[in-house]
């Protein structure tokens, strides 16, 4: 057990409901088996393809293509074969090879353009939320207001916003409290409360004040607001290649150089063997393009863009691709208890009678005394009495002769005074100390087991509420209500999935160790940190990182900022402070702390997709080798015809079939690259074996089938077969 004696208040959680989202269609939190299935817009949506086509041709600029070495080689090969075909206009084979090489380059560019196109559509939606506003800037003495364009605001300026005003820039509320419409950002129509101090002080430029008056301190420059950053991120302008992506690019470039040298050396051997005519520059170019890993080279950028897009679909903004990639390698997950693992509001779990009172009588009194309690705990008592004991839910209006006692923080009790058959009856429910004192003041005596039962509930991590009554028989305690911080449904199963993935889960709470242990055991987390202060979170993260682990955590307050900055994946809540959002490398627009589990799954899916398609790409080059090499040298070396295991019709048909397959397989795999490979919570060795079996073996078999089918079709064309 991780524990220390320093006290800290339990972090206040935002109760704003999960947003639907304006960035992209948003659904309920997925399980591990659903992560791969949701994509905004299909690849073969004609409108999306048509919009992306100009961008695809624009990406053929050699200055852009050179950043992707594999496809740059294909582009050079396309130009070379086209020039050779122009020199010999009657050579149908040269024209066919040139055409399919150009299609290979266009398909690769189209894959990236489609991935970016979805982000640009989301960015257009955000641009509509940007408006040029006039700000009411306060003078240095804070007494006079000056109207200035929002673009002239500087960091540190104070601006006044009242009902109906558009907030001119990102900042923190330093005075007042107001209801704010943030639907332009989150898609959630329900307004949220923003107030000075605490963890709900951050406001975003472009949102609208609905009520009251607030003074906002500007924290960002014009053009660098949260909406501006969102636009750049979702449309891909701010996307940088991740370390793993760079390393894979280097590997692909190295393989390309090796195959280039190998193909160049074939020409002298062919001349020596008398197969010079079969190894023309067009044939050698076709061989090179088929042998280098064009499939993953074409899809690599699209995979990275799609990974960030899947986060945007869930209303999460990753400030860099590195953060998404790190999420896939996370081995330790820090989760707040309240609002993440538990519902956040304690719910009635059972009624415990004392002194010979029946459970039904206790439930009736508990429900009656809770009708004036509008807190979530009070509502849950009414519901439990109704569901467990069949008591219909009564309403305050039904008791016309009743005097209601509402729950307050001062009295810590609620109840009702009624008159039944001419006799007065008072019922109270509340904190043990307050209700026990109420009974004692009225001359009543506490049952012997009241203290024992309340202590037992407290030690078990629950909260005891005492129910008492005063009637003609005097004042007495009827029993105790056991309130529990209810663990969210399905959390144990999700933690079990994370455990199978090799991820350690640690619950962070300000509760005492006994309460923390009870919740941790029920939820199924691996460990917990109780009575957690900000410095304790930092120390825990550093200890985990010192052991070579990557750590992810969520936070919303200024006191979370150091830990968010220290964590490898820091997810800041949009409802939190500006300091928290600046410190984290992801922002959850829905402010749903449970989203961290989804983020880890999306990160892992990105890494799995990249690895699986790399395996497939390298494996399918082997089949193309068996198609082209026999076609090139079988004339000079008849024994090589034994390698023509596919029985291809002719040398020209074999080479052309391989080139056509090389282009079409890119198109076939684009949906998988954008959607992502199906994610399963498996251990690393099992996942490796599965991907080698599915994508490695599949990469070997599929080209044999595809090239043979294309060859059969080509052989039917007169003059070719």
């Amino acid at each position: 057990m991780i524990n220390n004696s320093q006290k800290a208040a339990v972090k206040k959680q935002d109760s704003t409901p999960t947003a639907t989202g304006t960035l992209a269609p948003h659904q309920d939190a997925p399980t591990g088996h659903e992560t791969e299935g949701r994509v905004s817009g299909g690849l073969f949506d004609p409108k999306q393809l048509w919009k992306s086509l100009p961008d695809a041709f624009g990406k053929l600029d050699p200055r852009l293509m050179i950043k992707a070495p594999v496809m740059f080689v294909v582009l050079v090969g396309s130009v070379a074969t086209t020039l050779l075909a122009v020199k010999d206009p009657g050579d149908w084979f040269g024209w066919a090879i040139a055409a399919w090489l150009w299609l290979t380059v266009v398909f690769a560019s189209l894959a990236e353009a489609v991935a970016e196109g979805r982000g640009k559509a989301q960015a257009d939606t955000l641009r509509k939320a940007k408006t040029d506003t006039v700000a009411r800037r306060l003078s240095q003495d804070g007494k006079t207001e000056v109207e200035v364009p929002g673009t002239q605001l500087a960091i540190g300026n104070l601006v006044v916003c009242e009902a109906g005003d558009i907030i001119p820039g990102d900042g923190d509320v330093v005075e007042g409290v107001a209801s704010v419409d943030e639907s332009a950002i989150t898609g959630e129509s329900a307004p949220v409360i923003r107030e000075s101090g605490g963890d709900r002080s951050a406001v975003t430029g472009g949102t609208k004040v609905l009520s009251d008056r607030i003074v906002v301190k500007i924290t960002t420059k014009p053009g660098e607001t949260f909406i501006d950053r969102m636009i750049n991120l979702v449309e891909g302008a701010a996307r940088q290649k991740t370390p793993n992506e760079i390393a894979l690019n280097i590997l692909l470039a190295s393989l390309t150089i090796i195959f280039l040298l190998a193909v160049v050396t074939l020409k002298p051997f062919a001349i020596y063997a008398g197969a010079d005519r079969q190894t023309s520059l067009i044939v050698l170019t076709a061989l090179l393009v088929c042998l280098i890993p064009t499939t993953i080279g074409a899809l690599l950028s699209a995979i990275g863009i799609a990974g960030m897009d899947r986060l945007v679909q869930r209303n999460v903004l990753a400030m860099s691709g590195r953060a998404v990639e790190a999420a896939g390698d996370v081995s330790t997950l820090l989760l707040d208890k309240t609002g993440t693992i538990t519902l956040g509001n304690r719910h009635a779990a059972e009624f415990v009678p004392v002194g010979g009172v029946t459970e039904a009588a206790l439930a009736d009194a508990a429900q009656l005394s809770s009708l004036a309690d509008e807190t979530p705990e009070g509502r849950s008592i009414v519901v439990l009495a109704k569901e467990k004991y069949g008591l219909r839910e009564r309403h305050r209006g039904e008791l016309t002769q009743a005097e209601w006692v509402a729950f307050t923080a001062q009295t810590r009790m609620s109840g009702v005074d009624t008159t039944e058959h001419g006799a007065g009856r008072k019922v109270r429910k509340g904190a043990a100390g307050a209700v026990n004192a109420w009974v004692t003041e009225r001359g009543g005596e506490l049952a012997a087991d009241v203290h024992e039962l309340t202590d037992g509930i407290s030690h078990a991590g629950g909260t005891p509420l005492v129910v008492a009554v005063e009637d003609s028989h005097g004042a007495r305690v009827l029993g105790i209500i056991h309130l529990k911080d209810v663990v969210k449904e399905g959390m144990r199963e999700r933690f079990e999935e994370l455990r199978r993935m090799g991820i350690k889960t640690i619950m962070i709470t300000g509760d005492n160790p006994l309460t923390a242990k009870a919740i941790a055991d029920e939820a199924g987390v691996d460990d917990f940190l109780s009575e957690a202060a900000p410095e304790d979170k930092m120390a825990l993260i550093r200890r985990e990182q010192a052991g070579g682990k990557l750590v992810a955590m969520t936070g919303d307050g200024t006191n979370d900022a150091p830990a968010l900055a220290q964590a490898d994946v820091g997810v800041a809540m949009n409802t939190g402070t500006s300091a928290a959002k600046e410190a984290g490398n992801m922002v959850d627009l829905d402010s749903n702390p449970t989203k961290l589990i989804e983020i880890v799954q999306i990160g892992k899916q990105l890494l799995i997709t990249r690895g699986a398609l790399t395996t497939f790409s390298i494996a399918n080059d082997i089949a193309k080798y068996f198609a082209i090499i026999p076609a090139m040298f079988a004339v000079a070396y008849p024994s090589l015809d034994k390698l023509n295991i596919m029985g291809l019709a002719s040398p020209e048909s074999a080479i052309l079939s391989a080139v056509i397959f090389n282009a079409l397989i890119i198109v076939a795999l684009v949906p998988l690259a954008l959607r992502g490979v199906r994610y399963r919570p498996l251990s690393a060795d099992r996942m490796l074996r599965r991907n080698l079996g599915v994508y490695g073996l599949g990469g070997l078999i599929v080209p044999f089938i595809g090239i043979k089918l294309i060859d059969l079709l080509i052989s039917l064309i007169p003059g070719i077969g």
Side-chain angles (χ1 to χ4, degrees):
M1 180 186 74
I2 301 171
N3 185 27
N4 56 66
S5 59
Q6 296 175 323
K7 299 281 184 179
V10 178
K11 185 187 295 183
K12 182 180 180 182
Q13 299 293 326
D14 192 279
S15 58
T16 303
T18 300
T20 301
T22 56
L23 298 182
H26 182 73
Q27 301 180 17
D28 294 334
T31 63
H33 304 290
E34 296 171 329
T35 304
E36 76 289 343
R38 298 190 316 218
V39 184
S40 60
L43 167 69
F44 298 107
D45 178 2
K47 291 183 179 179
Q48 185 65 64
L49 284 174
W50 184 253
K51 289 181 180 178
S52 301
L53 201 56
D55 291 334
F57 283 108
K59 291 180 180 296
L60 298 182
D61 185 339
R63 293 170 298 181
L64 299 176
M65 292 293 293
I66 199 170
K67 296 178 182 179
V70 176
M71 298 316 300
F72 181 72
V73 170
V74 181
L75 177 64
V76 173
S78 303
V79 174
T81 53
T82 302
L83 293 176
L84 292 171
V86 170
K87 288 177 63 177
D88 187 3
D91 181 15
W92 69 266
F93 179 74
W95 284 109
I97 293 294
W100 280 101
L101 290 184
W102 278 112
L103 285 175
T104 303
V105 179
V106 171
F107 290 159
S109 300
L110 188 60
E112 184 175 354
V114 169
E116 290 181 350
R118 297 187 300 181
K120 289 179 180 178
Q122 295 158 353
D124 290 340
T125 302
L126 288 170
R127 284 192 178 94
K128 294 177 182 178
K130 290 190 64 177
T131 55
D132 294 328
T133 58
V134 175
R136 296 159 56 188
R137 186 174 62 190
L138 282 176
S139 60
Q140 292 184 349
D141 59 12
K143 296 180 180 178
T144 59
E145 299 178 9
V146 180
E147 291 191 352
V148 298
T151 54
Q152 293 183 10
L153 292 174
I155 295 176
N157 286 166
L158 298 178
V159 296
V160 176
C161 298
E162 295 181 328
D165 290 346
I166 301 295
I167 297 175
D170 294 356
D172 290 320
V173 179
V174 294
E175 180 184 321
V177 57
S179 175
V180 179
D181 176 11
E182 294 187 342
S183 58
I185 306 296
T186 66
E188 173 57 52
S189 58
V192 295
I193 300 299
R194 293 291 174 260
E195 57 189 341
S196 60
D199 295 341
R200 299 182 189 178
S201 61
V203 290
T204 304
T207 57
K208 185 177 182 180
V209 177
L210 298 180
S211 68
D212 303 294
R213 175 185 184 275
I214 53 175
V215 177
V216 177
K217 183 178 182 180
I218 300 299
T219 57
T220 58
K221 299 177 182 177
E224 298 179 5
T225 64
F226 190 60
I227 290 184
D228 291 315
R229 291 163 63 193
M230 288 168 66
I231 291 171
N232 289 332
L233 288 164
V234 299
E235 70 180 357
R239 196 186 92 85
Q240 296 179 342
K241 290 183 178 180
T242 64
N244 283 353
E245 197 173 345
I246 294 172
L248 185 54
N249 261 318
I250 294 173
L251 172 63
L252 297 181
S254 302
L255 290 175
T256 301
I257 293 172
I258 292 171
F259 283 120
L260 178 61
L261 294 174
V263 170
V264 168
T265 58
L266 283 178
K267 189 64 176 178
F269 284 110
I271 295 173
Y272 176 78
D276 186 33
R277 293 184 61 186
Q278 287 75 31
T279 56
S280 65
L281 288 178
I282 289 179
V283 172
L284 290 176
T285 302
L287 173 63
L288 175 62
V289 170
C290 288
L291 290 184
I292 63 177
T294 51
T295 306
I296 185 61
L299 300 176
L300 185 58
S301 182
I303 293 171
I305 295 171
M308 295 187 71
D309 182 64
R310 281 193 290 275
L311 278 179
V312 172
Q313 290 176 49
R314 289 156 180 81
N315 270 7
V316 177
L317 290 181
M319 298 307 172
S320 69
R322 183 190 297 266
V324 186
E325 199 169 84
D329 286 328
V330 160
S331 50
T332 302
L333 218 55
L334 306 186
L335 298 158
D336 269 339
K337 182 202 72 159
T338 308
T340 304
I341 296 174
T342 65
L343 294 175
N345 297 315
R346 297 178 185 269
H347 285 60
E350 63 175 330
F351 297 119
V352 184
V354 297
V357 177
T358 64
E359 286 191 36
L362 173 59
D364 180 75
Q367 185 189 67
L368 190 62
S369 61
S370 299
L371 294 179
D373 184 359
E374 297 296 335
T375 65
E377 291 85 353
R379 297 297 88 205
S380 72
I381 294 170
V382 174
V383 171
L384 180 64
K386 175 185 176 183
E387 293 180 349
K388 189 172 182 179
Y389 298 97
L391 297 174
R392 69 180 182 85
E393 186 173 347
R394 291 171 289 187
H395 302 281
R396 293 171 60 173
E398 297 179 22
L399 302 176
T400 55
Q401 301 299 318
E403 182 179 340
W404 299 97
V405 179
F407 176 85
T408 66
Q410 290 74 30
T411 63
R412 296 187 299 160
M413 288 190 300
S414 66
V416 62
D417 297 344
T418 63
T419 302
E420 297 180 358
H421 306 295
R425 182 170 183 256
K426 298 180 179 180
V427 185
R428 295 291 184 273
K429 174 242 24 179
V435 176
N436 289 343
W438 182 82
V439 171
T440 304
E441 288 172 1
R442 283 155 179 74
E445 294 185 3
L446 302 180
D449 52 352
V450 169
H451 289 300
E452 181 180 345
L453 289 172
T454 55
D455 289 344
I457 291 173
S458 297
H459 285 295
T463 300
L465 296 181
V466 176
V467 180
V469 64
E470 182 186 18
D471 54 19
S472 58
H473 301 289
R476 61 194 184 281
V477 172
L478 299 180
I480 300 166
I481 304 169
H482 182 181
L483 294 182
K484 292 179 65 176
D485 200 351
V486 179
V487 173
K488 290 181 178 179
E489 186 177 354
M491 292 305 294
R492 176 175 284 275
E493 289 75 15
R494 300 189 80 173
F495 289 141
E496 183 59 37
E497 279 192 10
L498 293 171
R499 197 171 294 113
R500 288 198 296 271
M501 293 156 49
I503 297 176
K504 178 182 179 182
T505 52
I506 301 177
M507 181 185 78
I508 300 176
T509 177
D511 288 341
N512 63 69
L514 286 174
T515 301
K517 186 177 187 309
I519 297 294
D521 290 342
E522 184 178 353
V525 296
D526 297 311
D527 215 332
F528 65 91
L529 175 67
S530 61
E531 300 176 336
E535 55 269 23
D536 302 325
K537 300 177 188 178
M538 282 282 291
L540 174 58
I541 293 172
R542 286 172 176 164
R543 284 199 302 271
E544 292 292 319
Q545 290 173 333
K549 299 177 180 178
L550 295 185
V551 181
M553 76 160 289
T554 60
D556 57 3
T558 301
N559 63 341
D560 292 321
L564 287 171
Q566 181 68 35
D568 300 284
V569 179
V571 184
M573 302 294 101
N574 188 47
T575 55
T577 61
S578 297
K581 288 192 280 189
E582 288 294 330
N585 49 25
M586 292 188 186
V587 177
D588 177 18
L589 301 181
D590 293 337
S591 300
N592 175 13
T594 314
K595 195 80 66 70
L596 183 58
I597 298 175
E598 292 180 57
I599 292 170
V600 170
Q601 292 173 343
I602 292 170
K604 286 192 173 293
Q605 188 183 32
L606 170 65
L607 297 179
I608 293 168
T609 302
R610 188 184 294 155
L613 293 186
T614 301
T615 303
F616 184 92
S617 178
I618 295 175
N620 72 30
D621 290 337
I622 297 175
K624 289 177 278 187
Y625 170 88
F626 280 96
I628 295 181
I629 294 297
M632 293 173 59
F633 291 101
V635 174
Y637 300 102
S639 59
L640 283 178
D641 196 52
K642 294 179 181 179
L643 294 178
N644 186 16
I645 59 178
M646 288 179 275
L648 302 178
S650 66
E652 291 83 1
S653 175
I655 295 169
L656 183 57
S657 297
V659 172
I660 293 174
F661 174 84
N662 193 63
L664 294 181
I665 196 64
I666 294 173
V667 180
L669 290 176
V670 170
L672 183 62
L674 298 183
R675 186 180 66 245
V677 172
R678 183 176 176 83
Y679 164 77
R680 290 182 176 86
L682 303 174
S683 60
D685 56 337
R686 288 183 63 193
M687 190 176 299
L688 177 61
R689 289 196 299 271
R690 177 182 177 273
N691 285 346
L692 286 176
V694 175
Y695 298 98
L697 187 60
L700 286 172
I701 296 174
V702 170
F704 281 94
I705 299 172
I707 292 173
K708 179 61 178 177
L709 291 175
I710 295 171
D711 176 74
L712 290 174
L713 294 174
I714 291 176
S715 63
L716 297 176
I717 301 175
I720 296 180

